[in-house]
Amino acid sequence: MIRVLIADDDTLVRAGIRAIVEASPQITVTAEARDGVEAVDQVRRCRPDVVLMDIEMPGCDGLAATRRLLQRPDPPKVLVLTTFGMDENITAALHAGASGFLLKQLNPEQLIHAVCTVAAGGTVLSPTVTRQLLARGTSVPRRATEARALVARLSTREREVFACLGEGMSNAEIAEKLYMSPSTVKTYVSRALTKLDVDNRTQAALLAYELNLSGPGGRDL
């Protein structure tokens, strides 16, 4: 069972999201929050697996809350779910370590799929967000020539793992595809992120997409 916390300042929106995700037998909503401060507090109390985080909230907004949550020793996965996909918000959320960034204009099945993907360790970005990042050049930590030089430092196995990250795969899925143990995959992921000079799996997925090493960055909805 995937434990979810919904952080949004709109009561009706929270109710709608709860109804959608709890329609899945795999998901239960353990708590709700009206702002970032309450989200951080509820995570401490309820220890959810995934936080569905709005950005525009009074007081402590979703970006500040995401930074605080992902600095915890046992952080939940954070899936940003917002109405407006402004470049600076997308970049800030991904650099903070969010596992995905979605616009609220998606259908119930896509939201459930996104929660399950993120809970399993994958990454999820809407096509609109991916295109926006690539158009602005914010998806990679270096220019393309420099990024290719970084990728060239990867071993053959690390490159295979990197391509899987580009498809939004979780460690378990990578292990199954490449016939490796999950612990070995974890080691290769860590090495690849270090060599590529990226902060998290989501940035690695975008980098793979930018360099045409895989399909869409993350699992596009």
Side-chain angles (χ1 to χ4, degrees), residues 112-188:
I112 291 172
H113 170 74
V115 170
C116 293
T117 297
V118 167
T123 59
V124 181
L125 296 171
S126 70
T128 301
V129 168
T130 301
R131 288 192 297 269
Q132 195 170 340
L133 287 172
L134 295 179
R136 295 287 185 177
T138 56
S139 61
V140 294
R142 302 285 190 274
R143 291 184 178 275
T145 53
E146 295 176 78
R148 291 191 180 92
L150 291 174
V151 173
R153 297 166 55 189
L154 300 179
S155 68
T156 300
R157 205 55 160 166
E158 288 166 351
R159 183 182 287 258
E160 291 173 344
V161 170
F162 175 43
C164 291
L165 291 177
E167 297 176 15
M169 291 185 179
S170 66
N171 285 358
E173 291 170 326
I174 297 173
E176 182 176 357
K177 179 176 181 177
L178 300 182
Y179 304 102
M180 302 163 65
S181 71
S183 61
T184 301
V185 170
K186 185 176 180 180
T187 298
Y188 275 109

Side-chain angles (χ1 to χ4, degrees), residues 19-33:
I20 289 171
V21 297
E22 286 196 328
S24 168
Q26 297 175 265
I27 302 171
T28 183
V29 175
T30 60
E32 298 180 14

Side-chain angles (χ1 to χ4, degrees), residues 53 55 63 78-94 98-103 118 123-130 132-133 202 221:
M53 183 75 77
I55 289 181
L63 293 177
V78 175
L79 178 57
V80 174
L81 187 62
T82 188
T83 304
F84 304 106
M86 295 183 291
D87 288 353
E88 59 270 24
N89 287 342
I90 299 169
T91 304
L94 298 184
S99 296
F101 194 109
L102 300 177
L103 303 182
V118 167
T123 59
V124 181
L125 296 171
S126 70
T128 301
V129 168
T130 301
Q132 195 170 340
L133 287 172
T202 306
L221 299 179

Side-chain angles (χ1 to χ4, degrees), residues 181-205:
S181 71
S183 61
T184 301
V185 170
K186 185 176 180 180
T187 298
Y188 275 109
V189 168
S190 178
R191 289 177 183 171
L193 296 183
T194 298
K195 288 184 178 181
L196 295 170
D197 193 23
V198 294
D199 297 324
N200 53 62
R201 300 168 71 101
T202 306
Q203 291 177 15

